[in-house]
Amino acid sequence: MFSIPASASTALRNPRRRQRTGSDDSVATRQLPKRLKRSGLTTETFKPLANATPNGHLRHHEASPAANGYLRDTESKSSSGGENTSLAIRNRGNRKPEREKRSNRGDGSAELIKNDTYAVSRLATTPAQFQEYGNSESWHGGFTSSIGYAVAITQTQAVVWRYKQPLNLTGSSKPINVPLLHSANSSDDPLPLATLVPSLPEPGLLIVMPVTGKVSYWESLSSAASVDRGRQQQQAIQATVTGLAFGEHITNITEAEPQGFLLTCTSGKLVHLTVADPQGKASISTQVLRSTGTEAGGIFGSLRNVFGGGGWLRDVVAVKAGYSIHKAQRECVVGTKKGILQVWNMDWNGAHSLKYEVDANRHLLKSIRDIGTFPRDSDNQYFRVLDLAFLPAVVTGQEVTSSTSGSTIRLLVLTVLSSPNTTRYNLHVVNVTHGELDVPVVHPVNCYRSPLVTGSASKPQLLVPEPGQIAYIIFETSVVLVSLEEIEETPDSQLQTEARRIPDPFQDVVDFRKDKGYAIVGCAVDVLEKGHRGSACTIMVRGYGVIRVNVAPVEEGLTSADRTAPTAETKLEQAVFYGSQQSLLDLSGRPEIQFATEDVRDAALRISHSITSSSSKHLSTAGPSMEQHLQKRAIALAELIKHLRNHYKTLDHVTRWKLLWEAERMAAARAIWRVYDDSVSHSHGGEKILLYELVECISEKDKTENRPEHHETDHVRHWLTKDVWRLEYVVPWAFKALDTLYKWSIEDGHPMSSAHRARLISQAYDLQLMVLETAYSFRQSNVSLYGFDEEAMVEGLLRQDFKEYDGMSQPWTSSNTICEAVQTLAEYFQGFAIDLSPNSSDEEGASPSLELLSKIAEKNARLVDIICKTNIERFRFHQASNEVRTRKLGKDLEKHLDDVRKALIRGLAEMGQLMAALELGEKYRDMDALAEVLESEIQVSHEELSDLVKAGENSEEIGTKVAICEGYVDEYFDKYGAAWGNAYFARFVAQDRISSLLTHGRKQRDHLTTFLRSHPECTNFSWINEVSVEGDYAAAADDLRSAQKQADTLWAKKIQVSISKLSTMAAFSGQEKQNNKVKQLLHTLDGRLEALAVQEQIYDHLTPTLKRALNDTPAKVEVVMEQYGKRFLKGKPALRGALKLHVTRLVEEKVLDAEDLADLITFMDEDGLDPDSEFTIRRFLIALRLVGLHAVDTGDITSKELLERIIWRRCIIQDDWPSINRTELKDEAQVGKETRATALFKTLAEGFKSAGYWDQNPLPNPSTLRGAGTTIDSLRTSSRYQAASDSALELIARDLEQEDTALDNCIEQGRLEEWWRGIVDAAETSDRNEADRVGEEESQRTKGEQDILEKVSRKDRATWDSDGMGKNGGGRAGLEMDEEGDVMMG
């Protein structure tokens, strides 16, 4: 519409016209009156660019006029000798390339976006009034790219400027304002149309009023720009377009032939307008195009000429001029919405003819169907042609041939096929030959599917720059780039060609922001300056200015297939590196261009790495300001995550974490640079800067080496430029470099002074702190920016229960190397501080100042905080793992941190950083560290205070310190409660000073009681506190019962159990009736006392044996084993070993539990026992009772049942039942005697003596005792064997199998089951007989006592009667009576 760059050569001007005077050939330099002089107009202003060959009037085929109204870019020259251009002009043309080459050193353009395929830049020469965002004046414009000029026009004026003006041509780029000679009838009238007419020395200006048809033409801009209105009109050639009907107006100007134009009218009428006569003299003539015949169409074509208005077409959407066919002759193509194409021959002398007309609609639709992009809802489809353009060349291999070879016209047609739900654009390659039409190739536009805007003032335009490798589709707010290159022939591509669908190597969209009101008001193919390659177009944007889009040619060695569609990385790079630098382009992406999530993820990570390593082509690697360089990279990382978060919301959390870590490193790099810059500024002469030395020390594989051949000499800047992505290496190397420098100084014989060493330590602290503090701070500040929950993070650390740990690699801030490095440096300084004792041998002035040491100590506190953070992050990461082994490692790391933190906090206090130590203890709720620090400070301060008081010195400062520390102790009780109390009191327990706590205030006593009650290990003291402080006997009894589990010696446990019983009885002494719970409690305590009594009884029984041994535990044990462990345990190593352990504890007077006592009793050989002793008779019954008491105490019934079966089995196999069973030749007395001598009979009889014992403990059947404990599973039923290994239990089971074998012998050969009932009855009868005997003896004794009393009564009756009363208030004389009146004996 506005791009009319046809060139006009002065060679064809009328030679009779008066020549301009002066060497400049410029109106601007003539001696004009002062009022007529115009600033900004010189010869340089109007000189065409070097590669814009001025051949608009057909310079004998040296360069023919370009298709589509643009100059063809060619450097080929014809060998024809018929050139009639003057020598002066020819020489001027030869000089221009050199002049322009110098001026192109800088054109002031600003790069908006750039990638490997194309670039968009803003030209700096747009007049200010057209760049203003708020400019509401209606205007449009166009370009004449062959000479580098642009024109913009409003209802009142036209503005012309050289948009390609190099900046070094100062003063020549000012715009030229041309007031219009004719005004519009109404403000609603269409805007005037304007175009420049290329000529030398300066272009002419043509303006057409669309409604009135009035035409104004100036041969030069100088005459058009005259400030004198009359002179301006006088120098203008004016005319009126004839043939305009009422209501008809002109919509477009198209350059059609040298100095000729086609005007398109709303009715479809075409008017041929020329600005020069055949002799070259300026004049305006207009002629309506009428067809006089066609080469195709036959009778119907003739009828159309008669009734159709001379071949005029309605809804004309495109009028394009092709390449010159013959001298002064050119073909033009007219296209309509419905696909009607007309080919006209245009001649310089005004002659014209309609060559032929074809209907392409059917062919275009068929081509769309063939490639399969036809909408499904075809019933409601809408198809139309939007624009067309001549294809400038056919690319075949490496050769380029003309698009108008022979009689074939090659066109590129832009169409739209839309339905209510879809819109599809296509580019069709159309070949028209002698009226026949073919569509060999279709390029679907897949990157842009936005529907056309109804009622829009602008229509889509198609631009095809030479050599025809790229097509630009210009929409109102978008520029679509479509590659027209064909894929090289392969078997696959041949199949695709047969299907008429060749894949598009490249398509993309440049979108403008919709919120700014930007709109394209003019565009044209651009002719690039010499030395520049590519296919470019220039675009005029309302509210912004002029921009250029340039697609680079395919690089040498690559094919068109290598130029693929935009990748996720390309789009992300555009948004990252250009999104924040300009306001025109919308880089958010289009819905038609989608990428897989994996592609976006990988692209984002690559871009992030390219930023941190400065490997991106969009970043410079050198500059005067490192701070600005780092800031630019940090901004790029921020732009990357913002774009990802806004447009790729499905990005996984692992990728976002990696991006955040890279940004953290960049933030830390900036902090490091500031520290280094400050160190250099304040460095002492000749002293080393740690970071500089550090970078030198880093191994080559961990950094990018300098390239001396490229003069890269600054190690620090180079490292910060190339190696930020592995910035964490500076943390361990901060200490390594420090230690290395110190050792080197010693090896060199010039040990580093303490002051210098301290300064290096300070720098090492700064490096580690800047890296890690900055990283955690940045992470916390940007947690929401990277899409994480703010509540999930505290001070840069994820909560332990946060799910974001899933799938993550270990954070770089908590690697094992970093955790160890920061701890090492903190400990290193503490060692250094110790070395700085008063006895240190530093020379005077070589010691660090107190100010420096104080600063390092303060940094040490910050570093301890960092140590805690890194270690917390490390163990939380491990504990979140799905692997058991890793989680266990996390637990171990957590315990390790507890120890490290406590030591470091204590070290802070020792260095005089008490308040910092307390703050860190509070922050991490390390009650143990707080307790240790405060208790130590108080204790040491009390000692110092005591010494000062004794010496009579001022102790106020120490007293204040003690008061502050004690104040913190009380404050922590209120603040932390039991947690603090537990830690504080544990310190006293560990130092065995807990008794001193009884004198503390009530607040501490309350917490002390809570502490003691919650710590079973303190029950030895807790019961005293309950009695003496709380007066709670029940609690004291509970503590004593708990303490019994800790008591190891027999006497201690007996005392504890006894006092526990007393406390229990005292606690409930006031109750009239004890409840069942109390009775059960007392019964349990009685059982424990009974078990202890049994152990004492066994010890007493063994005392004679023990006296025979030396006063040595092993010897005593050996003696006991020799006497009691030979027969029964023979061949039973596991049981014999158990007996030895029990005997050892017995000899050492240590407590044996009831089950161990039962084993001990039943293991002992009866041969070594006194057969008539009560212990021997009752030992198996005692064992059974002990097991029962233990079950009552523990509630372990299963274990009781197993052990009872084992005890009964051992009781039975103590005797030779097969021998007892052989009763032949034995009388009744002998059989009874043998039976009563067995352990079984004695045990049964003793049980019957305890009334109801066997009722509560039913007797077993011998056969049910088989298998007791003979397998591992059987032993596992007892709690005492739960923790034992299978191998140990297997040995025990093997020994118990021998017992089972002996039992089988007793049952089978001794017929024990047949004897069983008789033995039980005999034992019960024996018990009754014994009871009868005892009863008879008691009766006889009682009768004897009564006889004696009767005798005494008769003898003393008289005395009793005479006295009237006896002793004890009326008792019988001489006898003492009890309360019931019975005589008290002896």
Side-chain angles (χ1 to χ4, degrees):
M1 178 176 176
F2 305 110
S3 305
I4 321 295
S7 303
S9 174
T10 57
L12 296 182
R13 290 181 181 274
N14 190 343
R16 294 177 295 178
R17 295 185 62 189
R18 181 177 57 86
Q19 300 297 318
R20 299 183 186 273
T21 59
S23 59
D24 283 350
D25 289 337
S26 173
V27 175
T29 59
R30 284 186 284 165
Q31 298 298 321
L32 299 177
K34 186 175 182 180
R35 61 185 180 87
L36 296 178
K37 286 188 177 181
R38 307 294 298 167
S39 62
L41 297 178
T42 67
T43 302
E44 297 293 340
T45 305
F46 303 108
K47 284 187 177 179
L49 297 182
N51 62 348
T53 308
N55 55 5
H57 279 291
L58 193 62
R59 280 174 48 184
H60 301 284
H61 298 281
E62 181 175 325
S64 58
N68 309 319
Y70 311 115
L71 189 67
R72 192 170 186 176
D73 185 14
T74 176
E75 297 180 4
S76 63
K77 293 187 178 181
S78 173
S79 61
S80 173
E83 185 173 347
N84 59 0
T85 305
S86 67
L87 181 61
I89 296 177
R90 185 165 60 249
N91 291 338
R92 185 183 295 117
N94 291 336
R95 289 196 302 270
K96 281 186 293 184
E98 297 180 1
R99 186 178 295 120
E100 294 300 337
K101 184 176 181 180
R102 290 193 299 270
S103 66
N104 281 337
R105 294 174 181 173
D107 60 358
S109 62
E111 195 174 78
L112 301 183
I113 58 171
K114 184 179 181 181
N115 53 46
D116 293 336
T117 304
Y118 66 91
V120 181
S121 56
R122 180 183 187 179
L123 305 186
T125 54
T126 309
Q129 63 264 39
F130 298 117
Q131 297 184 37
E132 295 176 1
Y133 168 72
N135 185 7
S136 60
E137 185 178 10
S138 179
W139 62 279
H140 61 184
F143 302 92
T144 305
S145 56
S146 61
I147 58 175
Y149 275 84
V151 58
I153 191 166
T154 68
Q155 293 286 15
T156 60
Q157 67 174 345
V159 180
V160 182
W161 71 95
R162 190 170 186 173
Y163 72 90
K164 289 186 178 179
Q165 176 65 53
L167 291 182
N168 58 352
L169 296 181
T170 58
S172 61
S173 60
K174 295 181 179 179
I176 302 170
N177 297 324
V178 180
L180 301 187
L181 298 182
H182 308 286
S183 60
N185 296 332
S186 170
S187 60
D188 296 330
D189 285 354
L191 288 169
L193 305 175
T195 185
L196 294 170
V197 181
S199 63
L200 290 176
E202 57 186 26
L205 176 63
L206 176 67
I207 297 176
V208 178
M209 304 302 292
V211 176
T212 62
K214 294 181 179 181
V215 180
S216 302
Y217 171 61
W218 292 271
E219 288 187 273
S220 66
L221 292 177
S222 300
S223 58
S226 176
V227 295
D228 188 315
R229 181 73 169 178
R231 186 175 181 83
Q232 183 192 27
Q233 291 182 349
Q234 183 181 5
Q235 293 183 347
I237 301 173
Q238 303 184 51
T240 302
V241 177
T242 59
L244 289 181
F246 179 76
E248 185 179 22
H249 63 269
I250 302 169
T251 60
N252 192 23
I253 301 179
T254 304
E255 184 271 335
E257 47 87 12
Q259 295 207 354
F261 303 90
L262 283 177
L263 307 181
T264 306
C265 301
T266 53
S267 63
K269 180 191 305 179
L270 297 178
V271 179
H272 187 200
L273 182 150
T274 60
V275 295
D277 60 16
Q279 288 74 35
K281 182 179 180 180
S283 67
I284 297 177
S285 65
T286 62
Q287 183 180 7
V288 178
L289 267 63
R290 300 181 186 275
S291 61
T292 58
T294 60
E295 296 180 9
I299 188 172
F300 297 103
S302 299
L303 292 174
R304 184 181 300 111
N305 292 335
V306 175
F307 302 104
W312 301 340
L313 301 175
R314 291 282 184 178
D315 298 326
V316 173
V317 295
V319 177
K320 297 295 174 71
Y323 297 99
S324 295
I325 305 172
H326 305 291
K327 181 178 179 180
Q329 190 175 359
R330 202 165 182 184
E331 285 182 334
C332 293
V333 175
V334 181
T336 68
K337 289 182 180 179
K338 295 182 179 181
I340 304 297
L341 302 178
Q342 286 184 342
V343 180
W344 291 81
N345 281 332
M346 306 297 297
D347 197 86
W348 184 18
N349 59 12
H352 59 269
S353 63
L354 178 61
K355 190 173 182 180
Y356 42 74
E357 177 181 304
V358 293
D359 188 349
N361 187 286
R362 178 173 57 85
H363 298 81
L364 296 174
L365 284 173
K366 183 178 182 301
S367 66
I368 296 175
R369 289 190 180 93
D370 290 344
I371 64 173
T373 60
F374 210 77
R376 294 181 179 179
D377 50 347
S378 57
D379 294 339
N380 297 321
Q381 68 184 13
Y382 174 75
F383 176 76
R384 60 179 286 191
V385 174
L386 298 177
D387 199 6
L388 59 84
F390 279 87
L391 281 173
V394 178
V395 181
T396 306
Q398 299 297 323
E399 298 180 0
V400 180
T401 61
S402 173
S403 65
T404 58
S405 59
S407 58
T408 299
I409 298 176
R410 298 185 69 247
L411 301 173
L412 188 66
V413 180
L414 171 64
T415 65
V416 61
L417 181 62
S418 61
S419 64
N421 299 320
T422 59
T423 300
R424 296 292 183 91
Y425 299 93
N426 294 279
L427 291 175
H428 309 254
V429 176
V430 177
N431 294 331
V432 183
T433 306
H434 300 299
E436 297 296 329
L437 186 141
D438 178 40
V439 184
V441 177
V442 179
H443 297 276
V445 180
N446 298 319
C447 63
Y448 186 88
R449 294 178 182 173
S450 298
L452 293 172
V453 180
T454 304
S456 174
S458 63
K459 70 177 187 68
Q461 299 180 66
L462 180 62
L463 306 179
V464 184
E466 288 190 349
Q469 295 178 342
I470 198 76
Y472 293 97
I473 306 175
I474 312 298
F475 293 92
E476 186 175 17
T477 59
S478 300
V479 179
V480 180
L481 293 76
V482 180
S483 174
L484 303 180
E485 298 173 286
E486 297 183 2
I487 304 298
E488 293 182 358
E489 286 193 6
T490 63
D492 291 338
S493 66
Q494 289 178 359
L495 293 175
Q496 294 169 339
T497 303
E498 292 174 2
R500 293 193 176 185
R501 184 174 183 181
I502 298 177
D504 299 322
F506 171 79
Q507 291 186 6
D508 201 1
V509 182
V510 177
D511 276 320
F512 299 165
R513 292 180 57 177
K514 305 300 188 296
D515 58 337
K516 294 289 188 179
Y518 297 131
I520 295 174
V521 294
C523 61
V525 167
D526 199 10
V527 178
L528 298 178
E529 295 84 348
K530 187 175 181 179
H532 292 74
R533 302 173 62 213
S535 301
C537 71
T538 312
I539 299 171
M540 195 175 295
V541 183
R542 182 178 61 231
Y544 188 78
V546 177
I547 66 171
R548 175 186 291 141
V549 183
N550 183 26
V551 176
V554 177
E555 295 182 6
E556 186 177 352
L558 301 178
T559 64
S560 56
D562 297 318
R563 176 176 283 174
T564 59
T567 63
E569 186 169 358
T570 300
K571 288 298 183 182
L572 286 178
E573 282 182 335
Q574 290 179 353
V576 168
F577 294 106
Y578 299 103
S580 62
Q581 299 177 11
Q582 46 81 28
S583 61
L584 173 67
L585 303 183
D586 180 2
L587 301 178
S588 61
R590 294 193 60 83
E592 300 90 346
I593 303 177
Q594 296 294 325
F595 306 102
T597 303
E598 295 78 11
D599 294 338
V600 175
R601 176 197 62 201
D602 296 342
L605 294 176
R606 285 194 299 270
I607 292 172
S608 180
H609 178 73
S610 72
I611 295 172
T612 54
S613 62
S614 293
S615 58
S616 172
K617 58 181 175 293
H618 302 285
L619 293 172
S620 63
T621 56
S625 174
M626 177 55 82
E627 174 64 26
Q628 292 180 2
H629 171 74
L630 294 172
Q631 182 181 14
K632 182 178 180 180
R633 293 160 67 189
I635 291 174
L637 291 174
E639 290 297 321
L640 173 61
I641 189 59
K642 288 177 183 177
H643 185 77
L644 291 171
R645 291 286 297 142
N646 289 334
H647 305 289
Y648 301 97
K649 298 185 182 299
T650 59
L651 196 65
D652 62 280
H653 74 280
V654 175
T655 302
R656 286 183 278 119
W657 268 114
K658 292 179 180 179
L659 296 175
L660 174 57
W661 292 339
E662 294 279 32
E664 292 168 4
R665 291 184 176 98
M666 185 57 64
R670 297 180 64 188
I672 287 178
W673 170 253
R674 287 191 288 267
V675 169
Y676 172 74
D677 195 40
D678 183 70
S679 298
V680 172
S681 301
H682 297 85
S683 62
H684 295 69
E687 284 193 358
K688 297 181 181 296
I689 304 299
L690 184 63
L691 181 60
Y692 186 87
E693 302 297 332
L694 179 155
V695 175
E696 286 278 2
C697 291
I698 295 178
S699 61
E700 295 180 359
K701 65 182 180 63
D702 294 331
K703 68 179 178 182
T704 304
E705 285 290 325
N706 283 0
R707 297 175 298 176
E709 66 276 13
H710 292 178
H711 308 287
E712 294 174 350
T713 58
D714 192 328
H715 302 287
V716 174
R717 284 179 169 84
H718 185 76
W719 179 74
L720 289 173
T721 300
K722 294 292 186 180
D723 293 309
V724 170
W725 61 278
R726 45 188 172 186
L727 184 82
E728 54 269 28
Y729 292 161
V730 76
V731 176
W733 275 103
F735 169 73
K736 291 180 183 179
L738 166 67
D739 191 48
T740 301
L741 291 175
Y742 179 64
K743 290 178 179 178
W744 284 353
S745 69
I746 295 176
E747 293 173 1
D748 293 343
H750 301 285
M752 186 183 297
S753 68
S754 297
H756 186 192
R757 190 177 169 196
R759 283 191 288 271
L760 290 180
I761 291 176
S762 179
Q763 293 179 33
Y765 268 91
D766 288 338
L767 289 176
Q768 290 192 351
L769 289 173
M770 287 302 98
V771 171
L772 295 172
E773 282 185 342
T774 304
Y776 284 119
S777 176
F778 182 90
R779 187 182 302 169
Q780 185 64 46
S781 301
N782 294 273
V783 57
S784 59
L785 175 62
Y786 283 80
F788 300 114
D789 184 4
E790 291 187 13
E791 296 181 357
M793 189 176 292
V794 178
E795 292 191 2
L797 298 177
L798 280 176
R799 290 201 316 258
Q800 193 159 5
D801 58 343
F802 196 45
K803 300 300 182 185
E804 292 291 349
Y805 281 113
D806 296 342
M808 285 173 51
S809 58
Q810 186 168 352
W812 70 277
T813 48
S814 58
S815 66
N816 294 340
T817 302
I818 284 184
C819 290
E820 293 170 2
V822 290
Q823 179 181 344
T824 302
L825 181 59
E827 294 170 347
Y828 181 84
F829 173 68
Q830 293 183 4
F832 172 74
I834 293 174
D835 292 341
L836 289 176
S837 63
N839 299 325
S840 59
S841 57
D842 268 356
E843 298 179 3
E844 185 178 357
S847 297
S849 65
L850 292 178
E851 180 183 2
L852 177 59
L853 292 177
S854 177
K855 287 182 178 180
I856 300 177
E858 292 174 1
K859 294 176 183 178
N860 187 266
R862 291 163 56 194
L863 193 63
V864 172
D865 186 25
I866 288 297
I867 292 171
C868 295
K869 284 185 177 181
T870 57
N871 281 273
I872 289 173
E873 187 173 56
R874 178 169 63 164
F875 78 67
R876 284 181 179 176
F877 172 77
H878 284 83
Q879 291 177 5
S881 173
N882 295 324
E883 298 181 2
V884 176
R885 185 175 181 180
T886 305
R887 290 199 300 272
K888 183 180 182 301
L889 175 60
K891 292 293 184 183
D892 295 339
L893 291 174
E894 184 176 8
K895 294 178 181 178
H896 170 73
L897 173 60
D898 292 340
D899 298 336
V900 170
R901 182 177 57 229
K902 186 185 299 182
L904 292 174
I905 291 177
R906 182 176 61 247
L908 283 175
E910 292 173 354
M911 288 191 299
Q913 296 293 314
L914 174 62
M915 301 311 298
L918 295 179
E919 288 177 3
L920 287 173
E922 293 179 19
K923 179 177 180 178
Y924 294 102
R925 297 185 67 86
D926 193 335
M927 300 297 109
D928 291 337
L930 289 174
E932 183 173 352
V933 168
L934 284 175
E935 193 275 332
S936 298
E937 287 291 330
I938 292 174
Q939 190 172 1
V940 171
S941 297
H942 274 299
E943 293 174 358
E944 293 178 357
L945 185 62
S946 177
D947 294 340
L948 291 175
V949 171
K950 291 179 180 178
E953 298 179 6
N954 186 2
S955 60
E956 182 178 355
E957 183 178 351
I958 299 298
T960 302
K961 183 178 180 181
V962 171
I964 292 175
C965 292
E966 290 178 346
Y968 272 107
V969 171
D970 291 339
E971 178 186 338
Y972 289 163
F973 276 114
D974 295 331
K975 190 173 183 178
Y976 301 114
W980 164 249
N982 293 343
Y984 184 66
F985 296 134
R987 287 283 302 167
F988 286 83
V989 172
Q991 297 176 359
D992 199 22
R993 295 191 301 116
I994 195 169
S995 59
S996 63
L997 294 173
L998 295 177
T999 60
H1000 286 197
R1002 181 64 193 177
K1003 180 186 297 185
Q1004 292 193 20
R1005 289 205 302 269
D1006 292 342
H1007 286 284
L1008 176 63
T1009 299
T1010 303
F1011 169 78
L1012 294 174
R1013 289 176 177 176
S1014 61
H1015 288 73
E1017 67 275 10
C1018 298
T1019 51
N1020 287 330
F1021 181 80
S1022 178
W1023 72 272
I1024 300 175
N1025 178 73
E1026 297 292 352
V1027 173
S1028 62
V1029 177
E1030 303 297 334
D1032 190 340
Y1033 291 94
D1038 292 338
D1039 290 340
L1040 286 166
R1041 285 193 297 275
S1042 299
Q1044 296 164 25
K1045 300 177 183 179
Q1046 304 172 23
D1048 194 37
T1049 59
L1050 184 63
W1051 68 270
K1053 186 164 185 177
K1054 185 174 182 180
I1055 291 174
Q1056 289 176 346
V1057 175
S1058 300
I1059 298 176
S1060 176
K1061 182 177 180 180
L1062 288 174
S1063 298
T1064 303
M1065 295 174 65
F1068 299 100
S1069 60
Q1071 300 180 7
E1072 296 182 0
K1073 185 178 182 180
Q1074 295 178 344
N1075 55 35
N1076 293 332
K1077 183 178 180 180
V1078 176
K1079 291 180 179 180
Q1080 180 65 31
L1081 185 58
L1082 292 173
H1083 179 65
T1084 300
L1085 293 173
D1086 287 338
R1088 293 178 183 177
L1089 289 172
E1090 183 177 343
L1092 294 173
V1094 169
Q1095 184 170 342
E1096 287 183 333
Q1097 186 180 2
I1098 296 172
Y1099 187 87
D1100 292 341
H1101 187 82
L1102 297 179
T1103 297
T1105 304
L1106 295 175
K1107 288 181 178 179
R1108 299 201 303 269
L1110 297 175
N1111 191 20
D1112 177 66
T1113 297
K1116 292 180 179 181
V1117 171
E1118 195 60 36
V1119 170
V1120 173
M1121 293 296 295
E1122 182 68 24
Q1123 182 170 349
Y1124 297 102
K1126 295 177 63 177
R1127 182 181 67 83
F1128 182 73
L1129 296 180
K1130 185 178 181 180
K1132 303 172 184 176
L1135 299 183
R1136 181 176 174 83
L1139 175 62
K1140 190 171 183 178
L1141 291 176
H1142 300 335
V1143 171
T1144 301
R1145 290 188 64 83
L1146 182 71
V1147 170
E1148 293 176 347
E1149 298 187 20
K1150 293 183 178 180
V1151 179
L1152 291 168
D1153 61 32
E1155 293 178 339
D1156 291 340
L1157 282 174
D1159 271 348
L1160 175 62
I1161 292 171
T1162 57
F1163 283 159
M1164 297 173 68
D1165 290 336
E1166 195 163 322
D1167 298 343
L1169 297 174
D1170 181 2
D1172 297 327
S1173 67
E1174 182 180 2
F1175 172 75
T1176 303
I1177 295 172
R1178 293 176 55 84
R1179 65 177 180 139
F1180 286 101
L1181 183 64
I1182 292 172
L1184 290 171
R1185 181 165 177 77
L1186 287 172
V1187 171
L1189 292 173
H1190 186 267
V1192 172
D1193 196 3
T1194 62
D1196 190 356
I1197 303 301
T1198 304
S1199 181
K1200 171 178 177 290
E1201 294 174 353
L1202 175 64
L1203 291 177
E1204 284 181 344
R1205 291 171 62 198
I1206 293 175
I1207 292 171
W1208 276 113
R1209 185 173 62 194
R1210 290 175 182 168
C1211 178
I1212 291 172
I1213 65 177
Q1214 290 291 322
D1215 300 291
D1216 187 3
W1217 283 100
S1219 176
I1220 296 173
N1221 179 58
R1222 292 192 293 272
T1223 58
E1224 60 273 17
L1225 301 177
K1226 293 181 181 179
D1227 58 13
E1228 189 76 12
Q1230 184 178 356
V1231 172
K1233 181 179 179 182
E1234 290 179 357
T1235 303
R1236 288 191 296 273
T1238 62
L1240 176 60
F1241 184 89
K1242 295 175 183 177
T1243 301
L1244 291 171
E1246 289 298 319
F1248 281 119
K1249 289 180 181 180
S1250 300
Y1253 183 80
W1254 296 127
D1255 294 333
Q1256 298 176 7
N1257 301 276
L1259 295 172
N1261 190 290
S1263 60
T1264 63
L1265 305 179
R1266 286 172 170 160
T1270 57
T1271 64
I1272 293 177
D1273 292 339
S1274 176
L1275 290 172
R1276 290 282 186 205
T1277 60
S1278 173
S1279 59
R1280 71 185 303 207
Y1281 297 119
Q1282 290 293 332
S1285 63
D1286 288 348
S1287 58
L1289 294 181
E1290 185 178 0
L1291 295 175
I1292 295 174
R1294 192 178 300 166
D1295 289 354
L1296 293 179
E1297 283 180 359
Q1298 297 184 41
E1299 294 184 5
D1300 227 32
T1301 300
L1303 176 65
D1304 290 340
N1305 186 48
C1306 293
I1307 293 175
E1308 295 172 4
Q1309 298 184 21
R1311 297 190 304 155
L1312 183 60
E1313 288 202 349
E1314 299 177 26
W1315 281 76
W1316 181 261
R1317 187 66 259 173
I1319 296 173
V1320 173
D1321 292 342
E1324 186 176 10
T1325 301
S1326 172
D1327 176 63
R1328 287 199 298 269
N1329 293 338
E1330 178 66 19
D1332 291 344
R1333 184 185 63 79
V1334 173
E1336 182 63 27
E1337 291 179 355
E1338 181 66 22
S1339 176
Q1340 293 294 331
R1341 184 182 65 79
T1342 302
K1343 186 176 182 302
E1345 291 178 352
Q1346 289 177 350
D1347 291 341
I1348 294 173
L1349 288 174
E1350 184 64 25
K1351 292 178 181 179
V1352 172
S1353 176
R1354 288 197 299 270
K1355 179 178 179 181
D1356 296 332
R1357 190 183 302 274
T1359 305
W1360 181 276
D1361 292 340
S1362 61
D1363 293 341
M1365 57 183 296
K1367 291 182 181 181
N1368 297 322
R1372 294 180 175 86
L1375 296 176
E1376 294 185 0
M1377 311 295 291
D1378 58 18
E1379 294 178 352
E1380 297 180 357
D1382 295 328
V1383 177
M1384 299 180 64
M1385 303 300 294

